[in-house]
Amino acid sequence: MLTTPQGAGEVGVNSILYFRVHNVEQRLTEIVGKGAKKERDAQLAAKMPDHDLWIAFVRDPDNNLIGLMEEKRR
């Protein structure tokens, strides 16, 4: 998923790129272990009819925000 542009190309304030992952907590740990800067731990973002949406955030080397999201089925 990609959000609408926020910073018109300015480094660190561009659109947020979201990656759908399995086990968002584990993926966050792995990515931070490889050098990404953790912005926010995984948190419940929304309760949907058939799943819960969990999202975590990291920063890339250019300080752009990257989202990790998981749809946890109930």
Side-chain angles (χ1 to χ4, degrees):
M1 184 172 79
L2 182 64
T3 63
T4 56
Q6 304 295 315
E10 184 180 338
V11 174
V13 291
N14 290 300
S15 299
I16 301 171
L17 181 62
Y18 289 84
F19 290 93
R20 186 174 174 190
V21 299
H22 297 286
N23 196 336
V24 66
E25 295 89 351
Q26 180 181 344
R27 295 295 170 251
L28 177 63
T29 299
E30 290 171 359
I31 291 170
V32 169
K34 292 179 179 180
K37 179 183 172 191
K38 182 169 43 172
E39 183 73 17
R40 189 177 85 190
D41 285 323
Q43 296 178 354
L44 177 62
K47 286 190 166 284
M48 308 304 241
D50 64 340
H51 68 275
D52 293 336
L53 179 63
W54 284 75
I55 298 179
F57 291 97
V58 295
R59 295 265 177 192
D60 73 5
D62 290 325
N63 206 35
N64 292 301
L65 196 58
I66 305 292
L68 306 173
M69 61 186 206
E70 179 182 7
E71 295 176 354
K72 295 186 180 188
R73 302 284 169 199
R74 289 187 233 136

